[in-house]
Amino acid sequence: MAAAPVKIRTKFNLHCYTYEGIDAIRDSMLAAKAKCSDENFVINYSIEAPPEYKAEVISLDKNGAIERLNQSLEIIQTEIKAKGGQFKLV
């Protein structure tokens, strides 16, 4: 019997009222995806309703998925704060 993949989700708010605005939000999520996603941990980001975003990872390793999701959220937080934005975990 094969193991079932686990889906871990989280929601967070991103605001950026500087000149970069939407580009800063997009770039922060792309940077996190590039650094934390691989074939074992696929991280997807989607917009719920501005400014609320959702991140989810699907994997067979639950603890590894939680660790990768936390790493990606830390990267998003540092990237958006460097560009003058705000991050809040919901």
Side-chain angles (χ1 to χ4, degrees), residues 10 12 32 45 55 68-78 87 89:
T10 187
F12 55 94
Y45 300 99
R68 286 290 177 105
L69 195 57
N70 288 333
Q71 286 175 356
S72 71
L73 293 176
E74 289 174 13
I75 292 169
I76 290 172
Q77 183 175 7
T78 55
F87 172 87
L89 191 61

Side-chain angles (χ1 to χ4, degrees), residues 32-63:
K33 188 171 186 171
K35 292 178 185 177
C36 294
S37 284
D38 60 14
E39 62 275 352
N40 295 327
F41 301 99
V42 179
I43 300 174
N44 293 316
Y45 300 99
S46 61
I47 187 169
E48 291 290 309
E52 192 169 289
Y53 297 87
K54 177 177 73 171
E56 71 180 17
V57 61
I58 301 171
S59 177
L60 295 174
D61 180 16
K62 180 180 177 181
N63 294 329

Side-chain angles (χ1 to χ4, degrees), residues 11-22 24-26 28-29 50-53 73-90:
K11 292 184 181 182
F12 55 94
N13 291 340
L14 289 178
H15 300 278
C16 189
Y17 298 116
T18 62
Y19 179 73
E20 295 176 352
I22 300 295
I25 292 172
R26 183 193 63 208
S28 66
M29 286 192 277
E52 192 169 289
Y53 297 87
L73 293 176
E74 289 174 13
I75 292 169
I76 290 172
Q77 183 175 7
T78 55
E79 291 284 326
I80 199 71
K81 285 189 176 186
K83 296 179 180 179
Q86 300 172 358
F87 172 87
K88 181 182 175 191
L89 191 61
V90 175

